Amino acid sequence: MPCIRETRGLRPGSACGILERVTFRFCASRRWTAALAVSAIAVSAITVTADADPAASAAIAASAAESLEAQLPVRGERPGYATSDTCRTCHPAEYRSWHQSYHRTMTQVATADSVLADFDGVQLDHPRAKQRLLLGSHQGELFFQLLGPVRGPPGPAPPLDLAKARRVVLTTGSHHHQTYWVQGYQRQLFSFPFSWLVADRRWAPREDIILRDPSLPMAEAGWNSNCVDCHVTPPNTNWERRIAGAPGDIAQLGIACEACHGEASGHVRKSRPPLRRYAQHLDTERDMGIVQPAALSAEAASQICGQCHAKVRFLLETSRPVYRPGDDLSETRRLVPVGHRMQRTAGQEFNVMAESACYRGGELSCLSCHSIHGYADRSDQLKPGMDGDAACQQCHAEAQYTSEISTHTKHPADSAGSRCYECHMPKATFGLRKGIRNHLIDAPRAQSTDTPERIERVQACSLCHLDKPLGWTAQALSELWGQPAVELSDDEKSVADSVLWLAKGDAAVRAVVADAMGSEPAWQASGNGWIAPLLATALDDRYGVVRYVAGRSIRRLPGFARFESDFIAPERRRREDRERAITLWSRGADRLARTGSEILIAPDGTLDTERWEQLRAGRSTRLHDGLE
């Protein structure tokens, strides 16, 4: 997962995919800076024509091939690093599991095998920026061309002009979405303004798939100021090279073996003699010049993950800006407090886990649940069986947490309310266009959002009991678990917590709640016949990610499987989508199945729009600038 990067004494930067900086520099004398709040994408066929002169065509191809390596980071020349291919012979199983992981494919050279997006026959329009782009391929290479201002409908697309096109040289990501990097100037790389959504199989503007306020101008997205921190090996290139602006020399693209095990050239050298290799099997304590994360303390092992899965500040005064596995992470960077004991966005997992009592006890580490090699599924890389209560029962083995769990949870043993992670690690964090698990391992608590500290957190109970006010939750927590009473506002006592968050919360919270409204466990606890009109209000939200999540959740509801909405459509179309969704719901039998002022459904089965607008008037003004 991505993380935020801040730099002491210099302009803050960020890991790619979190703080998205999208300034395009297409040549030394031209900069296209677009505040990309794009509302539509037009797609039409293009034909890439080869030069009529075969010799000239071959010359162009040769020149493009030479320019590719010139624009890529220099690979395989970092002192002390051996690269993953040297691990394969002796560690085939470990190599195979790593090779199948999304860590390996985090950054790749842009080739026909690595690029997931559709480039052939595609034309993309930026209505607000009034720019049109052409995508195409030639002799196995990918290109894009800036055509200039949008003038009317796309119409037939012209052939790709290779003399004016820019080469796509790198990719970042392969799981949820893929970002593309193009040749800039002075050996700098800049990100393409669209990303490819893998599951949706479509292009989307970058600013509409990250948590960034559409009123903010997009800043520069340069490879060396962002992605080199975490998406290559070693995880951090020298800061001086980043300042210089060149791609930098690295050992390997992606998150490779040495990102977790440290420099391996010494290990490879020591392991060449067969007798020494066999001796290692008999003496596991023998120093073979390599770091084994599983053999480290819980803190040191977790810091290996924390080098990327954390919000940090780099310490420029240190003489060793590059962290190496096994080092003390605090020697090169400081964890940034995330505020109010809450993980709001992805990329802060280590920050909040480090505050958890389980971690502070000295036994819990990232490796307690996750594995780079022996994982059950490569999506989360959880160990087999760690997607359930067994993850917590490794330490909490008492009967109240195992065979008699209902005595602790006060819920039926087979319900979501008796799953440890639903209460102690709820999906209350926003990341990758969905709710993800909060890694602050904590007990549910009812805390008013009207306190001076503005504790903006979605507490676990409200993510299942979508129809219940926070006052109901606070009473249950007090009566069943002995939590102290809290002062709540009138709205918090009378309006469902999920409705309040959807109306008044910031964009991260709105996306988390919209995701929960499409969750089967939540429907089991609170029904789903009343949810559609509330989700419909989010179909024209200011933030593209909120619109995306709301559209996905509403299509999961009964009767909405074929409902079409486009989260990047023009504003007028988005308002029409909202009204169509409300109309479709009003014609269904479920609209009278559940009514009440707490969910804003009037007795006649209509949405109380006046009350909704009153609540919405108090919406958080917090600005998001690319956190994810």
Side-chain angles (χ1 to χ4, degrees):
M1 293 178 191
C3 61
I4 308 162
R5 290 293 186 270
E6 297 182 9
T7 303
R8 183 176 299 177
L10 293 175
R11 177 179 62 82
S14 76
C16 170
I18 302 306
L19 184 55
E20 300 290 358
R21 304 187 174 280
V22 189
T23 296
F24 265 85
R25 303 184 183 184
F26 296 103
C27 61
S29 62
R30 180 185 230 175
R31 175 184 295 181
W32 174 32
T33 306
L36 299 174
V38 181
S39 57
I41 296 179
V43 180
S44 64
I46 70 171
T47 302
V48 181
T49 59
D51 197 292
D53 183 354
S57 206
I60 291 175
S63 176
E66 292 175 3
S67 68
L68 175 60
E69 279 301 325
Q71 291 296 324
L72 289 172
V74 177
R75 304 178 303 287
E77 297 185 8
R78 281 303 291 266
Y81 286 83
T83 75
S84 298
D85 284 344
T86 63
C87 308
R88 185 174 188 174
T89 301
C90 294
H91 308 284
E94 289 80 1
Y95 179 90
R96 183 169 55 253
S97 59
W98 163 78
H99 196 269
Q100 293 172 347
S101 73
Y102 292 116
H103 279 84
R104 178 187 67 85
T105 57
M106 182 58 68
T107 302
Q108 303 176 86
V109 177
T111 66
D113 293 332
S114 64
V115 171
L116 303 177
D118 179 13
F119 267 78
D120 288 330
V122 174
Q123 182 175 282
L124 306 175
D125 278 358
H126 288 262
R128 183 175 296 181
K130 305 302 180 185
Q131 294 287 350
R132 181 165 290 166
L133 292 86
L134 198 63
L135 309 184
S137 64
H138 180 66
Q139 296 183 354
E141 299 160 358
L142 302 173
F143 297 89
F144 88 92
Q145 179 185 348
L146 178 64
L147 295 179
V150 173
R151 302 184 187 279
L160 187 70
D161 186 344
L162 293 176
K164 297 179 180 179
R166 291 280 172 177
R167 177 88 176 267
V168 177
V169 297
L170 277 184
T171 72
T172 300
S174 62
H175 187 190
H176 301 283
H177 59 259
Q178 193 169 61
T179 298
Y180 303 96
W181 300 86
V182 300
Q183 297 174 351
Y185 67 100
Q186 296 178 351
R187 297 192 69 226
Q188 294 195 52
L189 305 179
F190 295 92
S191 64
F192 188 66
F194 290 84
S195 287
W196 179 257
L197 304 187
V198 177
D200 301 84
R201 297 200 54 77
R202 64 171 298 179
W203 288 100
R206 295 283 299 285
E207 77 284 0
D208 278 329
I209 66 169
I210 61 170
L211 193 63
R212 184 175 180 85
D213 191 291
S215 67
L216 298 176
M218 296 302 287
E220 181 178 294
W223 166 264
N224 250 50
S225 63
N226 293 327
C227 287
V228 290
D229 286 337
C230 285
H231 293 169
V232 297
T233 303
N236 301 110
T237 58
N238 288 330
W239 186 256
E240 293 77 14
R241 288 178 176 169
R242 296 175 63 203
I243 295 301
D249 297 348
I250 63 173
Q252 196 170 347
L253 293 176
I255 300 151
C257 303
E258 289 164 294
C260 299
H261 294 282
E263 297 134 284
S265 62
H267 173 71
V268 172
R269 184 177 63 255
K270 292 180 179 181
S271 300
R272 281 198 179 103
L275 291 178
R276 298 194 66 168
R277 289 201 304 272
Y278 297 145
Q280 176 64 16
H281 292 289
L282 301 176
D283 183 6
T284 57
E285 300 298 322
R286 186 171 183 173
D287 179 17
M288 294 293 284
I290 199 70
V291 174
Q292 290 291 355
L296 299 176
S297 67
E299 180 180 20
S302 297
Q303 287 180 347
I304 294 176
C305 305
Q307 63 181 307
C308 287
H309 292 272
K311 179 180 179 180
V312 301
R313 288 192 180 96
F314 288 98
L315 306 181
L316 295 187
E317 62 269 24
T318 181
S319 60
R320 293 181 60 193
V322 178
Y323 165 83
R324 293 172 174 81
D327 288 351
D328 183 351
L329 196 65
S330 65
E331 293 180 356
T332 55
R333 65 206 75 185
R334 297 280 171 79
L335 293 180
V336 176
V338 296
H340 308 305
R341 290 175 57 78
M342 173 63 183
Q343 183 191 356
R344 297 179 50 76
T345 56
Q348 304 171 9
E349 286 73 29
F350 184 60
N351 299 73
V352 293
M353 190 184 80
E355 297 182 14
S356 301
C358 294
Y359 177 82
R360 294 190 176 206
E363 296 184 15
L364 177 74
S365 76
C366 301
L367 300 182
S368 298
C369 299
H370 297 275
S371 174
I372 291 295
H373 299 296
Y375 49 82
D377 185 278
R378 63 176 182 157
S379 290
D380 296 315
Q381 294 202 203
L382 289 169
K383 293 178 179 178
M386 293 298 105
D387 59 345
D389 295 342
C392 301
Q393 292 167 352
Q394 295 177 89
C395 295
H396 302 279
E398 297 88 343
Q400 61 177 326
Y401 306 125
T402 55
S403 60
E404 301 174 10
I405 195 168
S406 291
T407 62
H408 169 64
T409 65
K410 319 300 183 188
H411 286 73
D414 59 350
S415 72
S418 282
R419 302 287 70 77
C420 304
Y421 49 78
E422 295 293 3
C423 295
H424 300 286
M425 295 182 68
K427 291 183 177 179
T429 297
F430 174 78
L432 300 167
R433 302 183 301 284
K434 61 182 178 180
I436 64 173
R437 298 217 175 273
N438 186 345
H439 277 62
L440 175 64
I441 305 171
D442 200 6
R445 67 183 74 179
Q447 294 174 291
S448 174
T449 59
D450 289 341
T451 59
E453 294 81 9
R454 297 293 300 169
I455 301 176
E456 296 182 333
R457 60 184 296 168
V458 179
Q459 60 89 27
C461 304
S462 296
L463 290 174
C464 272
H465 297 282
L466 297 169
D467 58 338
K468 301 300 184 184
L470 187 59
W472 177 90
T473 302
Q475 183 177 353
L477 290 173
S478 178
E479 293 178 353
L480 298 177
W481 289 278
Q483 288 195 13
V486 295
E487 291 292 329
L488 301 175
S489 68
D490 290 342
D491 285 345
E492 290 169 330
K493 295 176 182 177
S494 60
V495 180
D497 210 15
S498 67
V499 176
L500 285 183
W501 282 125
L502 201 60
K504 302 172 68 173
D506 64 32
V509 168
R510 298 198 299 273
V512 165
V513 171
D515 191 50
M517 286 183 165
S519 165
E520 187 75 36
W523 298 347
Q524 293 174 1
S526 53
N528 59 17
W530 56 277
I531 292 176
L534 292 162
L535 277 176
T537 65
L539 292 178
D540 65 343
D541 194 278
R542 291 180 61 243
Y543 282 74
V545 288
V546 178
R547 300 192 297 267
Y548 178 93
V549 174
R552 182 180 60 203
S553 288
I554 205 169
R555 282 186 287 275
R556 293 172 178 169
L557 293 171
F560 282 84
R562 297 183 179 180
F563 179 79
E564 295 183 1
S565 64
D566 189 349
F567 76 106
I568 58 173
E571 185 176 356
R572 175 185 57 80
R573 166 72 183 281
R574 300 199 304 262
R575 289 196 299 266
E576 292 174 355
D577 289 343
R578 178 193 63 194
E579 295 307 318
R580 284 193 303 108
I582 293 176
T583 300
L584 179 60
W585 171 77
S586 68
R587 294 172 179 170
D590 286 343
R591 69 186 182 91
L592 293 174
R594 177 69 187 279
T595 62
S597 59
E598 70 280 4
I599 54 174
L600 304 193
I601 304 299
D604 63 352
T606 60
L607 177 67
D608 188 346
T609 54
E610 181 178 358
R611 182 70 172 122
W612 168 261
E613 290 301 330
Q614 289 176 351
L615 295 172
R616 191 173 177 274
R619 175 166 289 182
S620 169
T621 58
R622 176 188 176 97
L623 296 180
H624 295 275
D625 62 353
L627 306 183
E628 188 175 72

